[in-house]
Amino acid sequence: MLNFDVVNPTRILFGKDQYQNLPSLISSFTKKSKIMIAYGGGSIFKNGVFDKVANALPNYEIVQFSGIEANPQFHTLMKAAEICKKEEIDFILAVGGGSVIDGVKFICGATKYKGDAWDVLLRKENCVFSEAISFGTVLTLPATGSEANSGAVISRDDLKEKRTMGGPLFFPKFSICDPTVVASLPKRQIANGIVDAYMHTLEQYLTYPTDNLLQEREAEGILSTLIEIGPKVLNDPSNYKWASNLMWCATHALNGNLRCGVATDWTTHMIGHELTALYGIDHARTLAIIAPRLYQNQFENKKEKLVQYGRRVWLLTGTEDEIAKEVIQKTEGFFNSLGIETRISAYTSDHKDLASTVQNRFQERGWLKMGERQAITPSDVFDIVANSL
Ligand code: NZQ
Ligand code: ZN
């Protein structure tokens, strides 16, 4: 087992009717009676979540910030940071999916930052968020795990960039995770959520064996559960049993637990982020496109775990090579069965120079050795993308 260092301070309030806890939760982190509530394009008004939140906070003056986009945009978030400074906000409640929660993480850092916050996302030397205001979340879309981790991904469409940030300051103080929100989700978003959680698990599992038997079983448990419930929750999103299991799987897939003592990859995510930056393809769909091709490219390096995954999760039999090949097909087939297309050409016909564009971006950023064995080079990235068209 590899060494590890783990902390997760986020308090999770899981289940129905947790909103009445909001005043006591918030008052632990701000003495002010004015807070910001930040949200996206308005789904929280249609499904009643905003009313539940507002009704729980009658004694608070609420500054609303609306319009955080899917793939939250730097310029929008900077407007929110300006409002926080002007209104002297020191607590934000993020009400939404991964984009709103990620956006709020960035706003919390940018509100306290003196320079150009884009430099932080570019990871320029000495440009870091060293202070941040506090935030909590009300999750409305099980997918990213952002409600229980300290990472965020921020986009800039004007530059066709999508960049990551994070650090201990960006754990939510608390997250309310009410699975009944799944009932109002469009099928597209439910399918995205299943795939994103599945891929977070694979990124921390499909590497090489590290003798962490518990962590491997936990990952396999999440994968098996998602395979079992995925079609059911898509079919019947109001079913609490399926919805609550999806939500808990998604939180567990990226709350820091699965990475303990194991090797991790994350290259599928890094390539996927470029596809979203260039074409706006939904995050989870980029992963479904890239992962099968990345596993083919890294077949020998990942073979031992591919075989374990095939045997334990998909109950495959045969030779090691047969199982390892078949499980890649099973994985892609699972994504397809959820209604997710796994080829770039299904999303855009404008992909002539794509493979070299993504390769160059990896090269320029100095991402020359990726993956758990540092074996994925920019030229592999070219092949992976070219094979994904
Ligand atoms: O904006 P509104 O109107 O709220 O609509 C949203 C949005 O259009 C809608 N939605 C959310 N909850 C709903 C709902 N519609 C009806 N009923 C509900 N209950 O769903 C749409 C998509 O929302 P979004 O937040 O963008 O989706 P998701 O949660 O999949 O987040 C994706 C973002 O998270 C990042 C991705 O890169 C992407 O930017 N990620 C963040 C991670 C993290 N912080 O750890 C890890 C992930 O790998 C990922 O990169
Ligand atoms: Zn993801």
Side-chain angles (χ1 to χ4, degrees):
M1 195 184 303
L2 304 179
N3 290 358
F4 61 91
D5 178 347
V6 68
V7 62
N8 190 327
T10 301
R11 179 172 170 187
I12 302 285
L13 288 90
F14 193 94
K16 298 174 189 172
D17 305 325
Q18 300 279 5
Y19 300 91
Q20 75 278 4
N21 294 308
L22 279 169
S24 67
L25 289 165
I26 293 171
S27 64
S28 311
F29 302 104
T30 176
K31 295 296 154 234
K32 296 186 180 175
S33 59
K34 179 162 80 172
I35 62 163
M36 175 180 276
I37 293 187
Y39 52 89
S43 69
I44 63 168
F45 293 101
K46 291 187 200 131
N47 60 17
V49 172
F50 181 83
D51 285 345
K52 286 181 190 162
V53 170
N55 291 341
L57 296 169
N59 298 322
Y60 277 87
E61 182 188 341
I62 307 285
V63 176
Q64 291 187 36
F65 185 81
S66 65
I68 297 180
E69 307 86 352
N71 306 310
Q73 294 294 319
F74 172 79
H75 292 298
T76 305
L77 305 172
M78 287 308 297
K79 286 184 196 152
E82 285 310 314
I83 296 170
C84 287
K85 283 183 201 165
K86 193 164 143 248
E87 300 276 341
E88 298 184 346
I89 299 286
D90 66 359
F91 188 90
I92 307 179
L93 187 62
V95 186
S99 294
V100 170
I101 298 173
D102 281 12
V104 164
K105 290 176 183 177
F106 177 82
I107 297 166
C108 288
T111 298
K112 289 285 185 184
Y113 192 66
K114 302 279 184 287
D116 179 354
W118 183 244
D119 290 343
V120 177
L121 294 168
L122 291 181
R123 298 179 189 243
K124 283 197 183 160
E125 209 176 335
N126 299 323
C127 297
V128 286
F129 290 142
S130 51
E131 283 179 276
I133 60 174
S134 302
F135 71 102
T137 90
V138 173
L139 178 68
T140 66
L141 198 176
T144 62
S146 189
E147 71 280 6
N149 69 42
S150 61
V153 195
I154 306 302
S155 294
R156 230 183 124 158
D157 277 359
D158 55 333
L159 302 179
K160 297 225 176 290
E161 289 276 10
K162 183 162 177 155
R163 295 282 182 149
T164 57
M165 58 160 273
L169 291 169
F170 300 103
F171 279 105
K173 298 294 182 198
F174 61 82
S175 286
I176 290 188
C177 301
D178 175 354
T180 64
V181 297
V182 173
S184 68
L185 279 169
K187 281 199 190 317
R188 165 179 164 188
Q189 299 301 343
I190 297 175
N192 285 352
I194 298 163
V195 171
D196 199 20
Y198 199 90
M199 281 308 308
H200 293 160
T201 310
L202 284 185
E203 296 269 36
Q204 301 169 91
Y205 170 80
L206 217 43
T207 56
Y208 52 77
T210 43
D211 297 337
N212 191 336
L213 307 185
L214 173 64
Q215 228 63 77
E216 293 183 356
R217 293 277 187 199
E218 285 191 12
E220 289 154 2
I222 294 175
L223 298 170
S224 300
T225 307
L226 289 169
I227 292 165
E228 178 185 342
I229 65 168
K232 295 183 167 124
V233 72
L234 263 180
N235 214 16
D236 185 8
S238 313
N239 181 309
Y240 191 77
K241 179 175 169 184
W242 310 136
S244 55
N245 276 285
L246 170 60
M247 191 169 264
W248 198 219
C249 279
T251 300
H252 265 277
L254 202 50
N255 66 358
N257 182 38
L258 290 186
R259 71 166 169 78
C260 294
V262 302
T264 60
D265 184 343
W266 295 111
T267 315
T268 298
H269 268 72
M270 301 320 280
I271 301 175
H273 288 168
E274 300 306 329
L275 298 188
T276 303
L278 291 163
Y279 300 116
I281 302 172
D282 290 355
H283 169 66
R285 287 163 200 256
T286 67
L287 309 177
I289 292 167
I290 295 300
R293 264 52 71 183
L294 185 136
Y295 300 147
Q296 280 152 2
N297 177 279
Q298 291 294 300
F299 190 76
E300 291 302 326
N301 284 335
K302 291 184 185 286
K303 198 193 287 181
E304 270 183 274
K305 286 303 278 290
L306 281 166
V307 173
Q308 180 176 326
Y309 166 49
R311 285 191 178 133
R312 290 192 183 172
V313 176
W314 289 98
L315 310 178
L316 301 180
T317 54
T319 66
E320 295 201 339
D321 271 25
E322 283 165 0
I323 293 174
K325 274 187 197 137
E326 193 180 344
V327 83
I328 298 174
Q329 289 163 7
K330 286 274 182 200
T331 306
E332 187 167 4
F334 176 56
F335 299 155
N336 295 146
S337 76
L338 302 171
I340 296 214
E341 301 268 17
T342 47
R343 289 283 169 183
I344 291 166
S345 47
Y347 299 89
T348 176
S349 52
D350 173 26
H351 50 60
K352 195 163 68 69
D353 300 320
L354 177 62
S356 49
T357 302
V358 179
Q359 177 185 16
N360 291 341
R361 284 179 168 216
F362 271 61
Q363 204 107 39
E364 281 158 19
R365 288 175 197 165
W367 298 346
L368 305 180
K369 293 177 180 180
M370 304 288 285
E372 68 278 8
R373 295 179 197 266
Q374 308 277 284
I376 307 178
T377 64
S379 112
D380 290 310
V381 170
F382 178 96
D383 290 342
I384 292 164
V385 175
N387 290 333
S388 302
L389 298 177

